[in-house]
Amino acid sequence: QVQLVESGGGLVQAGGSLRLSCAASGRTFSSYTMGWFRQAPGKEREFVAAIAVIYWSGDNTYYADSVKGRFTISRDNAKNTVYLQMNSLKPDDTAVYYCAVDTNPIGTRRAYEYDYWGQGTQVTVSS
């Protein structure tokens, strides 16, 4: 049974940093795309970042424009874990952050293409 467990959320002041982790179990994820999404109160779930297996033009990471340059996604295949380093946090980053896995190695920003989801971790950024 596939399980994704997020951790690392919390309360931080604007300008601060947090590092989210997502530990995956149930199968080997090194050949899958792993991503992060978020959902703020009253808003739809939105794409944040993804890390694929397949490289395009020398890169295998994708970011939403709103977080590009501030967030970094990475993965440790030996630990079946994906990370999201979040720097220069803003109050607009406040949301529940979800880890997700797409069994396609190409990489995608579309939530409906992801096959497995974690329960989410709350990130709150105070002004």
Side-chain angles (χ1 to χ4, degrees):
Q1 182 178 355
V2 173
Q3 194 171 25
L4 304 176
V5 179
E6 302 98 334
S7 61
L11 174 64
V12 64
Q13 287 189 329
S17 299
L18 283 174
R19 187 195 196 204
L20 304 184
S21 299
C22 173
S25 61
R27 62 174 65 182
T28 300
F29 292 87
S30 59
S31 59
Y32 298 158
T33 295
M34 302 186 79
W36 289 96
F37 290 77
R38 67 186 182 187
Q39 188 167 18
K43 295 186 177 181
E44 293 186 354
R45 189 170 299 190
E46 66 174 359
F47 171 77
V48 175
I51 185 164
V53 178
I54 305 296
Y55 282 71
W56 297 99
S57 300
D59 195 4
N60 69 333
T61 57
Y62 304 82
Y63 295 95
D65 288 343
S66 59
V67 306
K68 199 173 295 184
R70 299 188 298 122
F71 291 11
T72 302
I73 189 170
S74 61
R75 65 193 299 168
D76 185 336
N77 288 331
K79 296 182 178 179
N80 260 2
T81 300
V82 63
Y83 304 97
L84 186 67
Q85 178 66 43
M86 305 186 295
N87 299 328
S88 302
L89 282 161
K90 306 174 182 179
D92 284 349
D93 294 318
T94 295
V96 177
Y97 283 70
Y98 297 91
C99 171
V101 171
D102 176 14
T103 55
N104 190 318
I106 292 177
T108 180
R109 301 167 184 261
R110 294 182 285 266
Y112 67 83
E113 297 199 43
Y114 284 78
D115 303 288
Y116 303 102
W117 292 83
Q119 293 299 306
T121 185
Q122 176 70 47
V123 172
T124 303
V125 184
S126 63
S127 57

